[in-house]
PDB file of all heavy atoms in Angstrom:
ATOM      1  N   ASN A 387     164.371 148.661  18.443  1.00  0.00           N
ATOM      2  CA  ASN A 387     165.643 148.493  17.732  1.00  0.00           C
ATOM      3  C   ASN A 387     166.670 147.766  18.587  1.00  0.00           C
ATOM      4  O   ASN A 387     167.468 146.973  18.073  1.00  0.00           O
ATOM      5  CB  ASN A 387     166.196 149.861  17.307  1.00  0.00           C
ATOM      6  CG  ASN A 387     165.442 150.451  16.133  1.00  0.00           C
ATOM      7  OD1 ASN A 387     164.945 149.720  15.280  1.00  0.00           O
ATOM      8  ND2 ASN A 387     165.356 151.770  16.075  1.00  0.00           N
ATOM      9  N   GLU A 388     166.629 148.013  19.882  1.00  0.00           N
ATOM     10  CA  GLU A 388     167.577 147.344  20.785  1.00  0.00           C
ATOM     11  C   GLU A 388     167.306 145.846  20.906  1.00  0.00           C
ATOM     12  O   GLU A 388     168.205 145.084  21.259  1.00  0.00           O
ATOM     13  CB  GLU A 388     167.523 148.001  22.168  1.00  0.00           C
ATOM     14  CG  GLU A 388     168.099 149.412  22.199  1.00  0.00           C
ATOM     15  CD  GLU A 388     167.816 150.116  23.517  1.00  0.00           C
ATOM     16  OE1 GLU A 388     167.070 149.532  24.360  1.00  0.00           O
ATOM     17  OE2 GLU A 388     168.312 151.246  23.709  1.00  0.00           O
ATOM     18  N   GLN A 389     166.064 145.434  20.619  1.00  0.00           N
ATOM     19  CA  GLN A 389     165.735 144.005  20.707  1.00  0.00           C
ATOM     20  C   GLN A 389     166.298 143.219  19.533  1.00  0.00           C
ATOM     21  O   GLN A 389     166.341 141.992  19.561  1.00  0.00           O
ATOM     22  CB  GLN A 389     164.216 143.804  20.765  1.00  0.00           C
ATOM     23  CG  GLN A 389     163.508 144.620  21.827  1.00  0.00           C
ATOM     24  CD  GLN A 389     164.164 144.534  23.185  1.00  0.00           C
ATOM     25  OE1 GLN A 389     164.332 143.444  23.741  1.00  0.00           O
ATOM     26  NE2 GLN A 389     164.577 145.683  23.728  1.00  0.00           N
ATOM     27  N   GLN A 390     166.721 143.917  18.482  1.00  0.00           N
ATOM     28  CA  GLN A 390     167.334 143.298  17.304  1.00  0.00           C
ATOM     29  C   GLN A 390     166.433 142.224  16.691  1.00  0.00           C
ATOM     30  O   GLN A 390     166.855 141.101  16.420  1.00  0.00           O
ATOM     31  CB  GLN A 390     168.710 142.698  17.649  1.00  0.00           C
ATOM     32  CG  GLN A 390     169.704 143.752  18.124  1.00  0.00           C
ATOM     33  CD  GLN A 390     171.070 143.184  18.417  1.00  0.00           C
ATOM     34  OE1 GLN A 390     171.234 141.975  18.586  1.00  0.00           O
ATOM     35  NE2 GLN A 390     172.058 144.041  18.480  1.00  0.00           N
ATOM     36  N   HIS A 391     165.180 142.587  16.479  1.00  0.00           N
ATOM     37  CA  HIS A 391     164.247 141.676  15.824  1.00  0.00           C
ATOM     38  C   HIS A 391     164.564 141.589  14.338  1.00  0.00           C
ATOM     39  O   HIS A 391     164.960 142.571  13.710  1.00  0.00           O
ATOM     40  CB  HIS A 391     162.804 142.156  16.017  1.00  0.00           C
ATOM     41  CG  HIS A 391     162.325 142.030  17.426  1.00  0.00           C
ATOM     42  ND1 HIS A 391     162.056 140.816  18.019  1.00  0.00           N
ATOM     43  CD2 HIS A 391     162.062 142.973  18.364  1.00  0.00           C
ATOM     44  CE1 HIS A 391     161.648 141.025  19.260  1.00  0.00           C
ATOM     45  NE2 HIS A 391     161.646 142.318  19.492  1.00  0.00           N
ATOM     46  N   ALA A 392     164.376 140.408  13.788  1.00  0.00           N
ATOM     47  CA  ALA A 392     164.657 140.199  12.371  1.00  0.00           C
ATOM     48  C   ALA A 392     163.567 140.832  11.520  1.00  0.00           C
ATOM     49  O   ALA A 392     162.383 140.711  11.843  1.00  0.00           O
ATOM     50  CB  ALA A 392     164.753 138.703  12.065  1.00  0.00           C
ATOM     51  N   PRO A 393     163.954 141.537  10.431  1.00  0.00           N
ATOM     52  CA  PRO A 393     162.929 142.058   9.512  1.00  0.00           C
ATOM     53  C   PRO A 393     162.061 140.921   8.985  1.00  0.00           C
ATOM     54  O   PRO A 393     162.530 139.808   8.760  1.00  0.00           O
ATOM     55  CB  PRO A 393     163.763 142.688   8.392  1.00  0.00           C
ATOM     56  CG  PRO A 393     165.091 142.981   9.018  1.00  0.00           C
ATOM     57  CD  PRO A 393     165.313 141.885  10.015  1.00  0.00           C
ATOM     58  N   GLY A 394     160.777 141.215   8.814  1.00  0.00           N
ATOM     59  CA  GLY A 394     159.869 140.199   8.290  1.00  0.00           C
ATOM     60  C   GLY A 394     159.164 139.384   9.350  1.00  0.00           C
ATOM     61  O   GLY A 394     158.291 138.580   9.034  1.00  0.00           O
ATOM     62  N   ARG A 395     159.494 139.587  10.629  1.00  0.00           N
ATOM     63  CA  ARG A 395     158.857 138.829  11.719  1.00  0.00           C
ATOM     64  C   ARG A 395     158.043 139.767  12.598  1.00  0.00           C
ATOM     65  O   ARG A 395     158.545 140.765  13.111  1.00  0.00           O
ATOM     66  CB  ARG A 395     159.909 138.102  12.557  1.00  0.00           C
ATOM     67  CG  ARG A 395     160.674 137.036  11.793  1.00  0.00           C
ATOM     68  CD  ARG A 395     161.608 136.268  12.695  1.00  0.00           C
ATOM     69  NE  ARG A 395     160.889 135.583  13.759  1.00  0.00           N
ATOM     70  CZ  ARG A 395     161.503 134.888  14.725  1.00  0.00           C
ATOM     71  NH1 ARG A 395     162.814 134.816  14.774  1.00  0.00           N
ATOM     72  NH2 ARG A 395     160.781 134.299  15.654  1.00  0.00           N
ATOM     73  N   LEU A 396     156.774 139.433  12.770  1.00  0.00           N
ATOM     74  CA  LEU A 396     155.865 140.262  13.570  1.00  0.00           C
ATOM     75  C   LEU A 396     156.243 140.246  15.046  1.00  0.00           C
ATOM     76  O   LEU A 396     156.784 139.260  15.550  1.00  0.00           O
ATOM     77  CB  LEU A 396     154.434 139.747  13.451  1.00  0.00           C
ATOM     78  CG  LEU A 396     153.694 139.935  12.132  1.00  0.00           C
ATOM     79  CD1 LEU A 396     152.343 139.246  12.215  1.00  0.00           C
ATOM     80  CD2 LEU A 396     153.511 141.407  11.816  1.00  0.00           C
ATOM     81  N   ILE A 397     155.921 141.323  15.717  1.00  0.00           N
ATOM     82  CA  ILE A 397     156.020 141.401  17.176  1.00  0.00           C
ATOM     83  C   ILE A 397     154.649 141.856  17.668  1.00  0.00           C
ATOM     84  O   ILE A 397     154.113 142.846  17.163  1.00  0.00           O
ATOM     85  CB  ILE A 397     157.090 142.412  17.616  1.00  0.00           C
ATOM     86  CG1 ILE A 397     158.441 142.064  16.993  1.00  0.00           C
ATOM     87  CG2 ILE A 397     157.186 142.485  19.132  1.00  0.00           C
ATOM     88  CD1 ILE A 397     159.331 143.248  16.800  1.00  0.00           C
ATOM     89  N   HIS A 398     154.075 141.121  18.605  1.00  0.00           N
ATOM     90  CA  HIS A 398     152.757 141.538  19.100  1.00  0.00           C
ATOM     91  C   HIS A 398     152.641 141.274  20.590  1.00  0.00           C
ATOM     92  O   HIS A 398     153.206 140.312  21.116  1.00  0.00           O
ATOM     93  CB  HIS A 398     151.639 140.812  18.342  1.00  0.00           C
ATOM     94  CG  HIS A 398     151.635 139.325  18.492  1.00  0.00           C
ATOM     95  ND1 HIS A 398     150.912 138.679  19.470  1.00  0.00           N
ATOM     96  CD2 HIS A 398     152.276 138.356  17.792  1.00  0.00           C
ATOM     97  CE1 HIS A 398     151.093 137.374  19.367  1.00  0.00           C
ATOM     98  NE2 HIS A 398     151.916 137.144  18.360  1.00  0.00           N
ATOM     99  N   MET A 399     151.909 142.152  21.268  1.00  0.00           N
ATOM    100  CA  MET A 399     151.649 142.017  22.705  1.00  0.00           C
ATOM    101  C   MET A 399     150.368 142.769  23.029  1.00  0.00           C
ATOM    102  O   MET A 399     149.956 143.659  22.282  1.00  0.00           O
ATOM    103  CB  MET A 399     152.833 142.573  23.517  1.00  0.00           C
ATOM    104  CG  MET A 399     153.115 144.048  23.261  1.00  0.00           C
ATOM    105  SD  MET A 399     154.529 144.701  24.219  1.00  0.00           S
ATOM    106  CE  MET A 399     155.877 143.841  23.456  1.00  0.00           C
ATOM    107  N   ASN A 400     149.730 142.374  24.125  1.00  0.00           N
ATOM    108  CA  ASN A 400     148.538 143.100  24.564  1.00  0.00           C
ATOM    109  C   ASN A 400     148.669 143.588  26.001  1.00  0.00           C
ATOM    110  O   ASN A 400     147.719 144.106  26.576  1.00  0.00           O
ATOM    111  CB  ASN A 400     147.275 142.230  24.428  1.00  0.00           C
ATOM    112  CG  ASN A 400     147.203 141.132  25.466  1.00  0.00           C
ATOM    113  OD1 ASN A 400     148.159 140.382  25.631  1.00  0.00           O
ATOM    114  ND2 ASN A 400     146.091 141.025  26.174  1.00  0.00           N
ATOM    115  N   THR A 401     149.865 143.421  26.582  1.00  0.00           N
ATOM    116  CA  THR A 401     150.162 143.998  27.892  1.00  0.00           C
ATOM    117  C   THR A 401     151.531 144.656  27.808  1.00  0.00           C
ATOM    118  O   THR A 401     152.275 144.457  26.846  1.00  0.00           O
ATOM    119  CB  THR A 401     150.183 142.937  29.008  1.00  0.00           C
ATOM    120  OG1 THR A 401     151.374 142.141  28.879  1.00  0.00           O
ATOM    121  CG2 THR A 401     148.964 142.044  28.949  1.00  0.00           C
ATOM    122  N   LEU A 402     151.856 145.412  28.829  1.00  0.00           N
ATOM    123  CA  LEU A 402     153.147 146.103  28.852  1.00  0.00           C
ATOM    124  C   LEU A 402     154.210 145.305  29.584  1.00  0.00           C
ATOM    125  O   LEU A 402     155.288 145.822  29.872  1.00  0.00           O
ATOM    126  CB  LEU A 402     152.979 147.476  29.513  1.00  0.00           C
ATOM    127  CG  LEU A 402     152.004 148.426  28.800  1.00  0.00           C
ATOM    128  CD1 LEU A 402     151.891 149.739  29.565  1.00  0.00           C
ATOM    129  CD2 LEU A 402     152.438 148.672  27.372  1.00  0.00           C
ATOM    130  N   ASP A 403     153.911 144.045  29.887  1.00  0.00           N
ATOM    131  CA  ASP A 403     154.879 143.200  30.583  1.00  0.00           C
ATOM    132  C   ASP A 403     156.154 143.084  29.750  1.00  0.00           C
ATOM    133  O   ASP A 403     156.097 142.855  28.539  1.00  0.00           O
ATOM    134  CB  ASP A 403     154.300 141.803  30.819  1.00  0.00           C
ATOM    135  CG  ASP A 403     153.101 141.829  31.751  1.00  0.00           C
ATOM    136  OD1 ASP A 403     152.925 142.853  32.430  1.00  0.00           O
ATOM    137  OD2 ASP A 403     152.339 140.841  31.785  1.00  0.00           O
ATOM    138  N   GLY A 404     157.294 143.225  30.402  1.00  0.00           N
ATOM    139  CA  GLY A 404     158.566 143.075  29.711  1.00  0.00           C
ATOM    140  C   GLY A 404     159.171 144.380  29.249  1.00  0.00           C
ATOM    141  O   GLY A 404     160.331 144.408  28.819  1.00  0.00           O
ATOM    142  N   LEU A 405     158.419 145.480  29.301  1.00  0.00           N
ATOM    143  CA  LEU A 405     158.973 146.771  28.904  1.00  0.00           C
ATOM    144  C   LEU A 405     159.804 147.353  30.040  1.00  0.00           C
ATOM    145  O   LEU A 405     159.501 147.135  31.213  1.00  0.00           O
ATOM    146  CB  LEU A 405     157.858 147.746  28.527  1.00  0.00           C
ATOM    147  CG  LEU A 405     157.456 147.826  27.051  1.00  0.00           C
ATOM    148  CD1 LEU A 405     156.919 146.483  26.586  1.00  0.00           C
ATOM    149  CD2 LEU A 405     156.420 148.915  26.833  1.00  0.00           C
ATOM    150  N   PRO A 406     160.877 148.092  29.721  1.00  0.00           N
ATOM    151  CA  PRO A 406     161.667 148.731  30.787  1.00  0.00           C
ATOM    152  C   PRO A 406     160.820 149.748  31.539  1.00  0.00           C
ATOM    153  O   PRO A 406     159.888 150.332  30.970  1.00  0.00           O
ATOM    154  CB  PRO A 406     162.816 149.400  30.021  1.00  0.00           C
ATOM    155  CG  PRO A 406     162.349 149.512  28.609  1.00  0.00           C
ATOM    156  CD  PRO A 406     161.428 148.356  28.383  1.00  0.00           C
ATOM    157  N   PRO A 407     161.137 149.994  32.808  1.00  0.00           N
ATOM    158  CA  PRO A 407     160.294 150.873  33.642  1.00  0.00           C
ATOM    159  C   PRO A 407     160.063 152.257  33.051  1.00  0.00           C
ATOM    160  O   PRO A 407     158.951 152.791  33.120  1.00  0.00           O
ATOM    161  CB  PRO A 407     161.073 150.951  34.967  1.00  0.00           C
ATOM    162  CG  PRO A 407     161.869 149.689  35.005  1.00  0.00           C
ATOM    163  CD  PRO A 407     162.232 149.383  33.580  1.00  0.00           C
ATOM    164  N   THR A 408     161.103 152.857  32.460  1.00  0.00           N
ATOM    165  CA  THR A 408     160.926 154.214  31.924  1.00  0.00           C
ATOM    166  C   THR A 408     159.920 154.224  30.776  1.00  0.00           C
ATOM    167  O   THR A 408     159.067 155.108  30.684  1.00  0.00           O
ATOM    168  CB  THR A 408     162.273 154.766  31.437  1.00  0.00           C
ATOM    169  OG1 THR A 408     162.872 153.823  30.526  1.00  0.00           O
ATOM    170  CG2 THR A 408     163.219 154.995  32.604  1.00  0.00           C
ATOM    171  N   LEU A 409     160.003 153.235  29.901  1.00  0.00           N
ATOM    172  CA  LEU A 409     159.059 153.148  28.788  1.00  0.00           C
ATOM    173  C   LEU A 409     157.673 152.766  29.289  1.00  0.00           C
ATOM    174  O   LEU A 409     156.658 153.255  28.776  1.00  0.00           O
ATOM    175  CB  LEU A 409     159.553 152.135  27.760  1.00  0.00           C
ATOM    176  CG  LEU A 409     158.665 151.916  26.528  1.00  0.00           C
ATOM    177  CD1 LEU A 409     158.397 153.227  25.802  1.00  0.00           C
ATOM    178  CD2 LEU A 409     159.302 150.907  25.579  1.00  0.00           C
ATOM    179  N   LEU A 410     157.637 151.928  30.311  1.00  0.00           N
ATOM    180  CA  LEU A 410     156.360 151.492  30.886  1.00  0.00           C
ATOM    181  C   LEU A 410     155.549 152.689  31.363  1.00  0.00           C
ATOM    182  O   LEU A 410     154.344 152.785  31.114  1.00  0.00           O
ATOM    183  CB  LEU A 410     156.637 150.533  32.049  1.00  0.00           C
ATOM    184  CG  LEU A 410     155.457 149.754  32.623  1.00  0.00           C
ATOM    185  CD1 LEU A 410     154.910 148.785  31.606  1.00  0.00           C
ATOM    186  CD2 LEU A 410     155.879 149.016  33.882  1.00  0.00           C
ATOM    187  N   GLN A 411     156.199 153.624  32.022  1.00  0.00           N
ATOM    188  CA  GLN A 411     155.498 154.808  32.524  1.00  0.00           C
ATOM    189  C   GLN A 411     155.010 155.690  31.373  1.00  0.00           C
ATOM    190  O   GLN A 411     153.916 156.245  31.427  1.00  0.00           O
ATOM    191  CB  GLN A 411     156.428 155.611  33.432  1.00  0.00           C
ATOM    192  CG  GLN A 411     156.765 154.900  34.734  1.00  0.00           C
ATOM    193  CD  GLN A 411     157.730 155.715  35.590  1.00  0.00           C
ATOM    194  OE1 GLN A 411     158.200 156.759  35.173  1.00  0.00           O
ATOM    195  NE2 GLN A 411     158.026 155.224  36.783  1.00  0.00           N
ATOM    196  N   GLN A 412     155.804 155.800  30.327  1.00  0.00           N
ATOM    197  CA  GLN A 412     155.428 156.655  29.206  1.00  0.00           C
ATOM    198  C   GLN A 412     154.244 156.096  28.420  1.00  0.00           C
ATOM    199  O   GLN A 412     153.419 156.852  27.897  1.00  0.00           O
ATOM    200  CB  GLN A 412     156.615 156.836  28.253  1.00  0.00           C
ATOM    201  CG  GLN A 412     157.773 157.627  28.829  1.00  0.00           C
ATOM    202  CD  GLN A 412     158.863 157.830  27.794  1.00  0.00           C
ATOM    203  OE1 GLN A 412     158.626 158.306  26.691  1.00  0.00           O
ATOM    204  NE2 GLN A 412     160.079 157.442  28.156  1.00  0.00           N
ATOM    205  N   MET A 413     154.146 154.769  28.332  1.00  0.00           N
ATOM    206  CA  MET A 413     153.111 154.156  27.496  1.00  0.00           C
ATOM    207  C   MET A 413     151.713 154.405  28.026  1.00  0.00           C
ATOM    208  O   MET A 413     150.737 154.412  27.254  1.00  0.00           O
ATOM    209  CB  MET A 413     153.366 152.655  27.360  1.00  0.00           C
ATOM    210  CG  MET A 413     154.609 152.300  26.549  1.00  0.00           C
ATOM    211  SD  MET A 413     154.528 152.845  24.834  1.00  0.00           S
ATOM    212  CE  MET A 413     153.322 151.696  24.175  1.00  0.00           C
ATOM    213  N   ASP A 414     151.575 154.551  29.354  1.00  0.00           N
ATOM    214  CA  ASP A 414     150.286 154.896  29.960  1.00  0.00           C
ATOM    215  C   ASP A 414     149.211 153.884  29.537  1.00  0.00           C
ATOM    216  O   ASP A 414     149.309 152.712  29.857  1.00  0.00           O
ATOM    217  CB  ASP A 414     149.907 156.326  29.579  1.00  0.00           C
ATOM    218  CG  ASP A 414     148.766 156.876  30.422  1.00  0.00           C
ATOM    219  OD1 ASP A 414     148.588 156.395  31.546  1.00  0.00           O
ATOM    220  OD2 ASP A 414     148.049 157.771  29.951  1.00  0.00           O
TER     221      ASP A 414
END
Side-chain angles (χ1 to χ4, degrees):
N387 286 328
E388 290 170 354
Q389 308 312 303
Q390 298 182 342
H391 291 289
R395 296 185 61 183
L396 289 175
I397 304 152
H398 62 92
M399 60 180 68
N400 73 309
T401 73
L402 299 179
D403 295 344
L405 267 62
T408 53
L409 180 56
L410 191 66
Q411 292 178 356
Q412 293 184 53
M413 292 297 288
D414 194 25

